[in-house]
Amino acid sequence: MIDPRGEADFEGDFQDRSRELQAEIEAERIAEALVFASSQPVPEAFLAERLPSGADIRAIMLRLKEQYAPRGVNLVQIEGAWAFRTAADLSFVIRRDDNEVKKLSRAALEVLAIIAYHQPVTRAEIEDIRGVQTSRGTLDVLMEAGWVRFRGRRRTPGRPVTLGTTRDFLDHFGLEELRDLPGLEELKGAGLLSGRIPANFNIPSPLMNDELTEDEDPITQMDLEELGLLAPRGTSED
């Protein structure tokens, strides 16, 4: 004989679980819509503000990532943000002639690589590594592409500006985070390094996050004015 009370408990548990599943599905739909509608990678903090309170954002996004993995559009993580991107094996069918960034010069590629692996790095340090002067035009090209930014100011005489890469840099090169930059063996395998490199040659480990280091100060309003990125306060632009 079935205990009516036990049957009622079972039915209650079933209904509770059903409501939980429905809430999870709805949260996934909201997250999916927010990322799809955005032209820029969507931070998890933004998603947390708009999804129901208590939603496990990371679990939701990982489930969606798995669902989209075999499809023509993938959900990818870029640092702490999410975006839909064409599956890597189908990128050849997407024409980007109108939006393609002009090819970088060898000097710009060298500077970009140094910034990516050595950040935070100053212009003087870049020149020391390359052995030649770096023109302002080279840095301008990288900044206009949206791949390089001013990070802060070094706590040394002259307070030189430090440079680092951006989220757009990771997005363009298909990297989730800086630790995904290729290492020495990968660069050799891709033919980007000669097999006769010096025995003591090494590639530094990139930063794990974007936080300022102990010897960096944040960029201030005054710094931006000094760098020509903002009009001085008290003046008006024509």
Side-chain angles (χ1 to χ4, degrees):
M1 184 173 180
I2 299 176
D3 182 355
R5 188 174 165 186
E7 185 176 350
D9 288 344
F10 175 79
E11 184 177 350
D13 291 343
F14 177 80
Q15 291 177 347
D16 289 343
R17 182 53 184 157
S18 179
R19 283 193 291 268
E20 289 176 4
L21 288 173
Q22 189 61 39
E24 290 175 3
I25 292 172
E26 186 63 16
E28 287 182 7
R29 293 180 68 240
I30 295 172
E32 183 179 27
L34 289 170
V35 177
F36 179 80
S38 176
S39 60
Q40 298 293 327
V42 180
E44 290 185 1
F46 179 88
L47 294 172
E49 292 174 359
R50 282 152 180 79
L51 266 64
S53 177
D56 189 337
I57 306 300
R58 176 51 61 93
I60 290 170
M61 300 313 293
L62 290 178
R63 284 199 300 271
L64 284 172
K65 180 180 181 180
E66 184 177 355
Q67 293 170 24
Y68 276 92
R71 303 178 68 173
V73 174
N74 296 157
L75 181 64
V76 299
Q77 184 178 7
I78 307 162
E79 291 185 318
W82 295 85
F84 282 112
R85 293 292 181 262
T86 303
D89 61 328
L90 297 179
S91 59
F92 71 95
V93 302
I94 307 298
R95 295 183 61 85
R96 294 187 175 180
D97 297 345
D98 296 334
N99 301 320
E100 193 169 338
V101 177
K102 66 179 181 179
K103 289 186 177 181
L104 296 179
S105 65
R106 179 173 178 176
L109 285 171
E110 289 178 356
V111 171
L112 181 60
I114 290 170
I115 293 173
Y117 283 96
H118 292 264
Q119 60 186 304
V121 62
T122 66
R123 180 173 172 177
E125 290 165 346
I126 292 172
E127 293 175 346
D128 185 53
I129 294 170
R130 293 185 66 217
V132 295
Q133 287 190 336
T134 299
S135 71
R136 178 57 189 264
T138 298
L139 288 174
D140 286 344
V141 167
L142 296 176
M143 288 188 170
E144 287 171 6
W147 296 342
V148 168
R149 66 182 177 89
F150 294 125
R151 281 178 50 96
R153 305 205 79 156
R154 185 67 53 76
R155 294 176 183 173
T156 56
R159 299 187 67 244
V161 175
T162 56
L163 299 163
T165 53
T166 65
R167 181 179 290 164
D168 284 346
F169 164 80
L170 296 176
D171 192 7
H172 181 85
F173 291 97
L175 305 171
E176 288 191 1
E177 52 190 356
L178 288 173
R179 73 176 71 194
D180 293 328
L181 284 166
L184 182 59
E185 295 305 318
E186 292 172 289
L187 292 174
K188 284 182 182 178
L192 298 177
L193 288 177
S194 166
R196 300 177 62 185
I197 58 176
N200 61 347
F201 180 83
N202 66 81
I203 292 176
S205 298
L207 288 175
M208 294 300 103
N209 55 58
D210 267 348
E211 294 181 5
L212 295 175
T213 58
E214 292 182 356
D215 65 346
E216 285 181 289
D217 287 322
I219 293 283
T220 65
Q221 169 87 14
M222 187 176 297
D223 293 325
L224 294 175
E225 293 172 5
E226 180 184 329
L227 294 167
L229 300 178
L230 287 180
R233 283 170 290 188
T235 65
S236 59
E237 296 182 356
D238 295 333

Short mmCIF file of all heavy atoms in Angstrom, two decimals, residues 86-133:
data_model
loop_
_atom_site.label_atom_id
_atom_site.label_comp_id
_atom_site.label_asym_id
_atom_site.label_seq_id
_atom_site.Cartn_x
_atom_site.Cartn_y
_atom_site.Cartn_z
N THR A 86 32.15 33.24 -35.09
CA THR A 86 32.10 32.19 -36.11
C THR A 86 33.04 31.06 -35.73
O THR A 86 34.16 31.31 -35.26
CB THR A 86 32.52 32.76 -37.48
OG1 THR A 86 31.67 33.86 -37.80
CG2 THR A 86 32.43 31.70 -38.56
N ALA A 87 32.61 29.82 -35.89
CA ALA A 87 33.47 28.68 -35.61
C ALA A 87 34.77 28.81 -36.39
O ALA A 87 34.76 29.20 -37.57
CB ALA A 87 32.76 27.38 -35.98
N ALA A 88 35.88 28.51 -35.75
CA ALA A 88 37.19 28.73 -36.36
C ALA A 88 37.35 28.02 -37.70
O ALA A 88 37.95 28.56 -38.63
CB ALA A 88 38.28 28.28 -35.39
N ASP A 89 36.77 26.81 -37.83
CA ASP A 89 36.95 26.06 -39.07
C ASP A 89 36.07 26.58 -40.21
O ASP A 89 36.18 26.12 -41.35
CB ASP A 89 36.68 24.57 -38.84
CG ASP A 89 35.25 24.32 -38.38
OD1 ASP A 89 34.69 25.19 -37.69
OD2 ASP A 89 34.70 23.26 -38.72
N LEU A 90 35.20 27.57 -39.92
CA LEU A 90 34.34 28.14 -40.95
C LEU A 90 34.69 29.59 -41.27
O LEU A 90 34.01 30.22 -42.09
CB LEU A 90 32.86 28.07 -40.51
CG LEU A 90 32.27 26.68 -40.30
CD1 LEU A 90 30.83 26.80 -39.83
CD2 LEU A 90 32.35 25.87 -41.59
N SER A 91 35.73 30.10 -40.64
CA SER A 91 36.08 31.51 -40.83
C SER A 91 36.41 31.84 -42.29
O SER A 91 36.24 32.97 -42.74
CB SER A 91 37.25 31.89 -39.93
OG SER A 91 38.39 31.10 -40.22
N PHE A 92 36.85 30.83 -43.06
CA PHE A 92 37.25 31.08 -44.44
C PHE A 92 36.05 31.45 -45.31
O PHE A 92 36.22 32.06 -46.39
CB PHE A 92 37.95 29.85 -45.03
CG PHE A 92 37.02 28.68 -45.29
CD1 PHE A 92 36.46 28.48 -46.53
CD2 PHE A 92 36.72 27.79 -44.27
CE1 PHE A 92 35.60 27.40 -46.76
CE2 PHE A 92 35.87 26.71 -44.48
CZ PHE A 92 35.31 26.52 -45.74
N VAL A 93 34.83 31.10 -44.89
CA VAL A 93 33.66 31.40 -45.72
C VAL A 93 33.09 32.79 -45.43
O VAL A 93 32.18 33.25 -46.12
CB VAL A 93 32.54 30.35 -45.52
CG1 VAL A 93 33.03 28.97 -45.84
CG2 VAL A 93 31.98 30.42 -44.10
N ILE A 94 33.59 33.44 -44.40
CA ILE A 94 33.12 34.77 -44.05
C ILE A 94 34.02 35.81 -44.68
O ILE A 94 35.21 35.87 -44.40
CB ILE A 94 33.11 34.97 -42.51
CG1 ILE A 94 32.33 33.84 -41.84
CG2 ILE A 94 32.52 36.32 -42.16
CD1 ILE A 94 30.87 33.77 -42.23
N ARG A 95 33.47 36.65 -45.54
CA ARG A 95 34.26 37.68 -46.19
C ARG A 95 34.39 38.88 -45.27
O ARG A 95 33.40 39.40 -44.76
CB ARG A 95 33.62 38.12 -47.52
CG ARG A 95 33.61 37.01 -48.56
CD ARG A 95 33.02 37.52 -49.86
NE ARG A 95 33.81 38.61 -50.41
CZ ARG A 95 34.89 38.44 -51.17
NH1 ARG A 95 35.33 37.22 -51.44
NH2 ARG A 95 35.54 39.48 -51.64
N ARG A 96 35.61 39.32 -45.07
CA ARG A 96 35.85 40.48 -44.21
C ARG A 96 36.63 41.56 -44.94
O ARG A 96 37.32 42.36 -44.34
CB ARG A 96 36.62 40.06 -42.96
CG ARG A 96 35.83 39.14 -42.03
CD ARG A 96 36.57 38.92 -40.74
NE ARG A 96 35.80 38.15 -39.79
CZ ARG A 96 36.23 37.82 -38.58
NH1 ARG A 96 37.42 38.20 -38.18
NH2 ARG A 96 35.47 37.12 -37.76
N ASP A 97 36.52 41.57 -46.24
CA ASP A 97 37.31 42.51 -47.03
C ASP A 97 37.08 43.96 -46.61
O ASP A 97 38.00 44.77 -46.57
CB ASP A 97 36.96 42.36 -48.51
CG ASP A 97 37.32 40.97 -49.03
OD1 ASP A 97 38.06 40.27 -48.33
OD2 ASP A 97 36.86 40.60 -50.12
N ASP A 98 35.81 44.31 -46.30
CA ASP A 98 35.50 45.69 -45.99
C ASP A 98 35.99 46.11 -44.61
O ASP A 98 36.24 47.28 -44.35
CB ASP A 98 33.98 45.93 -46.07
CG ASP A 98 33.47 45.72 -47.48
OD1 ASP A 98 34.27 45.88 -48.42
OD2 ASP A 98 32.27 45.40 -47.64
N ASN A 99 36.07 45.13 -43.69
CA ASN A 99 36.42 45.46 -42.30
C ASN A 99 37.83 45.03 -41.91
O ASN A 99 38.23 45.16 -40.77
CB ASN A 99 35.42 44.79 -41.35
CG ASN A 99 34.00 45.23 -41.62
OD1 ASN A 99 33.76 46.38 -41.89
ND2 ASN A 99 33.07 44.29 -41.55
N GLU A 100 38.56 44.49 -42.85
CA GLU A 100 39.85 43.92 -42.52
C GLU A 100 40.86 45.00 -42.14
O GLU A 100 41.01 46.01 -42.84
CB GLU A 100 40.38 43.14 -43.73
CG GLU A 100 41.56 42.25 -43.38
CD GLU A 100 41.91 41.29 -44.50
OE1 GLU A 100 41.05 41.02 -45.34
OE2 GLU A 100 43.06 40.84 -44.52
N VAL A 101 41.52 44.80 -41.02
CA VAL A 101 42.54 45.74 -40.60
C VAL A 101 43.75 45.60 -41.51
O VAL A 101 44.15 44.50 -41.86
CB VAL A 101 42.96 45.45 -39.13
CG1 VAL A 101 44.07 46.39 -38.70
CG2 VAL A 101 41.76 45.57 -38.20
N LYS A 102 44.30 46.73 -41.91
CA LYS A 102 45.43 46.66 -42.83
C LYS A 102 46.58 45.87 -42.21
O LYS A 102 46.74 45.84 -40.99
CB LYS A 102 45.90 48.07 -43.19
CG LYS A 102 46.49 48.87 -42.04
CD LYS A 102 46.95 50.23 -42.52
CE LYS A 102 47.56 51.05 -41.38
NZ LYS A 102 48.03 52.36 -41.84
N LYS A 103 47.34 45.22 -43.06
CA LYS A 103 48.42 44.38 -42.57
C LYS A 103 49.44 45.22 -41.80
O LYS A 103 49.80 46.31 -42.22
CB LYS A 103 49.10 43.67 -43.75
CG LYS A 103 48.23 42.59 -44.37
CD LYS A 103 48.99 41.84 -45.44
CE LYS A 103 48.15 40.71 -46.02
NZ LYS A 103 48.88 39.94 -47.05
N LEU A 104 49.89 44.67 -40.69
CA LEU A 104 50.86 45.38 -39.88
C LEU A 104 52.25 45.24 -40.47
O LEU A 104 52.59 44.21 -41.05
CB LEU A 104 50.86 44.81 -38.45
CG LEU A 104 49.57 44.97 -37.64
CD1 LEU A 104 49.75 44.33 -36.28
CD2 LEU A 104 49.19 46.43 -37.50
N SER A 105 53.04 46.28 -40.30
CA SER A 105 54.43 46.23 -40.72
C SER A 105 55.18 45.28 -39.79
O SER A 105 54.69 44.92 -38.71
CB SER A 105 55.05 47.62 -40.65
OG SER A 105 55.10 48.07 -39.30
N ARG A 106 56.39 44.91 -40.20
CA ARG A 106 57.19 44.03 -39.35
C ARG A 106 57.47 44.70 -38.01
O ARG A 106 57.43 44.06 -36.97
CB ARG A 106 58.51 43.70 -40.05
CG ARG A 106 59.41 42.81 -39.21
CD ARG A 106 60.62 42.35 -39.97
NE ARG A 106 61.50 41.54 -39.15
CZ ARG A 106 62.61 40.93 -39.58
NH1 ARG A 106 62.96 41.06 -40.85
NH2 ARG A 106 63.34 40.21 -38.77
N ALA A 107 57.73 46.02 -38.05
CA ALA A 107 58.02 46.75 -36.81
C ALA A 107 56.82 46.72 -35.88
O ALA A 107 56.95 46.49 -34.67
CB ALA A 107 58.39 48.20 -37.13
N ALA A 108 55.61 46.90 -36.44
CA ALA A 108 54.41 46.89 -35.61
C ALA A 108 54.17 45.51 -35.01
O ALA A 108 53.76 45.38 -33.86
CB ALA A 108 53.20 47.33 -36.45
N LEU A 109 54.42 44.46 -35.80
CA LEU A 109 54.26 43.10 -35.28
C LEU A 109 55.24 42.83 -34.15
O LEU A 109 54.88 42.20 -33.14
CB LEU A 109 54.47 42.09 -36.41
CG LEU A 109 53.34 41.95 -37.43
CD1 LEU A 109 53.78 41.08 -38.60
CD2 LEU A 109 52.10 41.35 -36.76
N GLU A 110 56.48 43.30 -34.30
CA GLU A 110 57.47 43.10 -33.25
C GLU A 110 57.06 43.82 -31.98
O GLU A 110 57.13 43.26 -30.88
CB GLU A 110 58.84 43.62 -33.72
CG GLU A 110 59.49 42.76 -34.79
CD GLU A 110 60.81 43.35 -35.26
OE1 GLU A 110 61.16 44.46 -34.81
OE2 GLU A 110 61.49 42.71 -36.09
N VAL A 111 56.60 45.07 -32.12
CA VAL A 111 56.19 45.86 -30.96
C VAL A 111 54.98 45.21 -30.29
O VAL A 111 54.92 45.10 -29.06
CB VAL A 111 55.88 47.31 -31.37
CG1 VAL A 111 55.24 48.08 -30.20
CG2 VAL A 111 57.15 48.01 -31.82
N LEU A 112 54.02 44.75 -31.08
CA LEU A 112 52.83 44.10 -30.52
C LEU A 112 53.21 42.84 -29.74
O LEU A 112 52.69 42.59 -28.66
CB LEU A 112 51.85 43.76 -31.64
CG LEU A 112 50.54 43.08 -31.22
CD1 LEU A 112 49.75 43.98 -30.27
CD2 LEU A 112 49.70 42.72 -32.44
N ALA A 113 54.12 42.06 -30.30
CA ALA A 113 54.55 40.83 -29.62
C ALA A 113 55.25 41.14 -28.31
O ALA A 113 55.02 40.48 -27.29
CB ALA A 113 55.48 40.03 -30.54
N ILE A 114 56.09 42.17 -28.32
CA ILE A 114 56.81 42.55 -27.09
C ILE A 114 55.83 43.01 -26.03
O ILE A 114 55.93 42.63 -24.86
CB ILE A 114 57.85 43.65 -27.40
CG1 ILE A 114 58.99 43.07 -28.24
CG2 ILE A 114 58.40 44.25 -26.10
CD1 ILE A 114 59.94 44.11 -28.78
N ILE A 115 54.86 43.83 -26.43
CA ILE A 115 53.87 44.31 -25.46
C ILE A 115 53.06 43.14 -24.90
O ILE A 115 52.82 43.06 -23.70
CB ILE A 115 52.95 45.35 -26.12
CG1 ILE A 115 53.73 46.62 -26.46
CG2 ILE A 115 51.78 45.69 -25.20
CD1 ILE A 115 52.95 47.65 -27.26
N ALA A 116 52.66 42.22 -25.78
CA ALA A 116 51.83 41.09 -25.35
C ALA A 116 52.55 40.23 -24.31
O ALA A 116 51.96 39.84 -23.29
CB ALA A 116 51.44 40.24 -26.56
N TYR A 117 53.83 39.94 -24.54
CA TYR A 117 54.56 39.04 -23.66
C TYR A 117 55.21 39.73 -22.47
O TYR A 117 55.43 39.10 -21.43
CB TYR A 117 55.63 38.28 -24.45
CG TYR A 117 55.09 37.15 -25.29
CD1 TYR A 117 54.80 37.33 -26.63
CD2 TYR A 117 54.84 35.90 -24.73
CE1 TYR A 117 54.31 36.29 -27.42
CE2 TYR A 117 54.34 34.85 -25.49
CZ TYR A 117 54.08 35.06 -26.83
OH TYR A 117 53.58 34.03 -27.59
N HIS A 118 55.54 41.01 -22.61
CA HIS A 118 56.29 41.70 -21.56
C HIS A 118 55.46 42.69 -20.75
O HIS A 118 55.99 43.33 -19.84
CB HIS A 118 57.49 42.43 -22.17
CG HIS A 118 58.56 41.54 -22.71
ND1 HIS A 118 59.68 41.19 -21.98
CD2 HIS A 118 58.68 40.91 -23.91
CE1 HIS A 118 60.45 40.39 -22.71
NE2 HIS A 118 59.87 40.21 -23.89
N GLN A 119 54.19 42.87 -21.08
CA GLN A 119 53.38 43.88 -20.38
C GLN A 119 53.34 43.63 -18.88
O GLN A 119 53.34 42.46 -18.45
CB GLN A 119 51.97 43.90 -20.96
CG GLN A 119 51.20 42.59 -20.86
CD GLN A 119 49.88 42.67 -21.58
OE1 GLN A 119 49.05 43.55 -21.32
NE2 GLN A 119 49.66 41.77 -22.55
N PRO A 120 53.35 44.72 -18.09
CA PRO A 120 53.41 46.12 -18.50
C PRO A 120 54.82 46.51 -18.95
O PRO A 120 55.81 46.16 -18.29
CB PRO A 120 53.02 46.86 -17.23
CG PRO A 120 53.47 45.96 -16.12
CD PRO A 120 53.27 44.57 -16.62
N VAL A 121 54.90 47.24 -20.05
CA VAL A 121 56.19 47.59 -20.62
C VAL A 121 56.15 49.03 -21.10
O VAL A 121 55.11 49.51 -21.56
CB VAL A 121 56.55 46.62 -21.78
CG1 VAL A 121 55.54 46.72 -22.91
CG2 VAL A 121 57.96 46.82 -22.28
N THR A 122 57.26 49.74 -20.97
CA THR A 122 57.33 51.13 -21.41
C THR A 122 57.94 51.19 -22.81
O THR A 122 58.53 50.23 -23.29
CB THR A 122 58.19 51.98 -20.46
OG1 THR A 122 59.56 51.53 -20.54
CG2 THR A 122 57.70 51.86 -19.02
N ARG A 123 57.81 52.34 -23.43
CA ARG A 123 58.37 52.51 -24.77
C ARG A 123 59.89 52.32 -24.74
O ARG A 123 60.46 51.68 -25.64
CB ARG A 123 58.01 53.90 -25.30
CG ARG A 123 58.55 54.20 -26.68
CD ARG A 123 58.01 55.51 -27.17
NE ARG A 123 58.64 55.92 -28.42
CZ ARG A 123 58.31 57.00 -29.10
NH1 ARG A 123 57.35 57.79 -28.64
NH2 ARG A 123 58.93 57.32 -30.22
N ALA A 124 60.54 52.84 -23.70
CA ALA A 124 62.00 52.68 -23.60
C ALA A 124 62.38 51.22 -23.48
O ALA A 124 63.38 50.76 -24.05
CB ALA A 124 62.52 53.47 -22.40
N GLU A 125 61.59 50.44 -22.73
CA GLU A 125 61.87 49.02 -22.57
C GLU A 125 61.65 48.26 -23.88
O GLU A 125 62.39 47.32 -24.19
CB GLU A 125 60.98 48.45 -21.47
CG GLU A 125 61.38 48.95 -20.08
CD GLU A 125 60.31 48.68 -19.02
OE1 GLU A 125 59.18 48.35 -19.38
OE2 GLU A 125 60.63 48.82 -17.82
N ILE A 126 60.66 48.68 -24.65
CA ILE A 126 60.43 48.08 -25.97
C ILE A 126 61.64 48.32 -26.86
O ILE A 126 62.12 47.41 -27.55
CB ILE A 126 59.16 48.66 -26.62
CG1 ILE A 126 57.91 48.24 -25.85
CG2 ILE A 126 59.04 48.21 -28.08
CD1 ILE A 126 56.65 48.94 -26.30
N GLU A 127 62.14 49.55 -26.85
CA GLU A 127 63.29 49.89 -27.68
C GLU A 127 64.53 49.14 -27.23
O GLU A 127 65.37 48.75 -28.06
CB GLU A 127 63.52 51.40 -27.63
CG GLU A 127 62.39 52.19 -28.30
CD GLU A 127 62.55 53.70 -28.15
OE1 GLU A 127 63.38 54.12 -27.32
OE2 GLU A 127 61.86 54.43 -28.88
N ASP A 128 64.65 48.92 -25.92
CA ASP A 128 65.80 48.18 -25.40
C ASP A 128 65.76 46.73 -25.88
O ASP A 128 66.78 46.14 -26.25
CB ASP A 128 65.80 48.23 -23.87
CG ASP A 128 67.03 47.57 -23.27
OD1 ASP A 128 68.15 47.95 -23.66
OD2 ASP A 128 66.87 46.67 -22.43
N ILE A 129 64.56 46.14 -25.90
CA ILE A 129 64.41 44.75 -26.36
C ILE A 129 64.66 44.65 -27.85
O ILE A 129 65.34 43.73 -28.33
CB ILE A 129 63.00 44.23 -26.01
CG1 ILE A 129 62.84 44.13 -24.48
CG2 ILE A 129 62.75 42.86 -26.65
CD1 ILE A 129 61.42 43.86 -24.04
N ARG A 130 64.12 45.58 -28.63
CA ARG A 130 64.25 45.54 -30.09
C ARG A 130 65.63 45.99 -30.56
O ARG A 130 66.10 45.58 -31.61
CB ARG A 130 63.20 46.42 -30.76
CG ARG A 130 61.77 45.95 -30.60
CD ARG A 130 60.84 46.83 -31.40
NE ARG A 130 61.07 46.69 -32.83
CZ ARG A 130 61.00 47.69 -33.71
NH1 ARG A 130 60.74 48.91 -33.30
NH2 ARG A 130 61.22 47.46 -35.00
N GLY A 131 66.25 46.88 -29.78
CA GLY A 131 67.55 47.39 -30.19
C GLY A 131 67.47 48.57 -31.15
O GLY A 131 68.48 49.04 -31.65
N VAL A 132 66.26 49.05 -31.40
CA VAL A 132 66.07 50.20 -32.29
C VAL A 132 64.97 51.08 -31.71
O VAL A 132 64.18 50.64 -30.86
CB VAL A 132 65.67 49.78 -33.72
CG1 VAL A 132 66.78 49.00 -34.39
CG2 VAL A 132 64.39 48.95 -33.71
N GLN A 133 64.91 52.33 -32.16
CA GLN A 133 63.87 53.23 -31.70
C GLN A 133 62.51 52.82 -32.25
O GLN A 133 62.41 52.26 -33.34
CB GLN A 133 64.18 54.67 -32.12
CG GLN A 133 65.32 55.31 -31.34
CD GLN A 133 65.43 56.80 -31.62
OE1 GLN A 133 64.99 57.27 -32.67
NE2 GLN A 133 66.03 57.53 -30.69
#
